[in-house]
Amino acid sequence: QAQLVESGGGLVQPGGSLRLSCAASGFTFFSYTVNWYRQVPGKERELVATSTSGGTTTNYADSVKGRFTISRDNFRNTIYLQMNSLKPEDTAVYYCHAVHTIYNYWGQGTQVTVSS
């Protein structure tokens, strides 16, 4: 079965760092554009980072630019989101997403809480 499983979330103080991982299985990972989204309850899901196939091109939301880095390891079939200089407003459930042609997969999300 094709699936994405996030991990690495948790509680961190403002200014701290977290590294999220998203392990993909059941499909050929390297062909996919991968994304990280985040969502606060009651609010619309927000795209925060994108990596095109191969990881050559990346894009970030203005709110995270310079602080977050998306990367991928096609051999390990894993997507990463390195989050530095975290702010309370970064608190959300973070979801990884992989898309290629008709294929569209979502992880179940991992909670990131930035608080003192």
Side-chain angles (χ1 to χ4, degrees):
Q1 294 180 331
Q3 64 178 127
L4 298 170
V5 180
E6 299 96 339
S7 62
L11 176 64
V12 64
Q13 294 183 351
S17 298
L18 282 175
R19 185 179 179 90
L20 305 183
S21 298
C22 177
S25 62
F27 62 98
T28 303
F29 180 81
F30 71 88
S31 299
Y32 286 70
T33 293
V34 297
N35 308 297
W36 284 97
Y37 287 79
R38 65 187 182 188
Q39 188 169 28
V40 176
K43 296 183 181 294
E44 190 171 338
R45 190 169 295 185
E46 175 191 17
L47 177 64
V48 299
T50 295
S51 175
T52 58
S53 181
T56 303
T57 302
T58 58
N59 288 286
Y60 301 91
D62 288 341
S63 59
V64 307
K65 196 170 296 181
R67 300 187 297 117
F68 289 13
T69 303
I70 187 171
S71 62
R72 59 199 293 167
D73 186 333
N74 289 327
F75 291 100
R76 294 178 63 184
N77 233 32
T78 303
I79 309 157
Y80 302 98
L81 185 67
Q82 178 66 46
M83 305 184 295
N84 299 324
S85 301
L86 283 162
K87 305 173 181 179
E89 52 263 43
D90 295 319
T91 296
V93 177
Y94 284 73
Y95 299 88
C96 61
H97 174 239
V99 59
H100 177 62
T101 63
I102 65 170
Y103 302 101
N104 182 24
Y105 303 120
W106 289 90
Q108 294 299 304
T110 186
Q111 176 71 48
V112 172
T113 302
V114 185
S115 176
S116 298

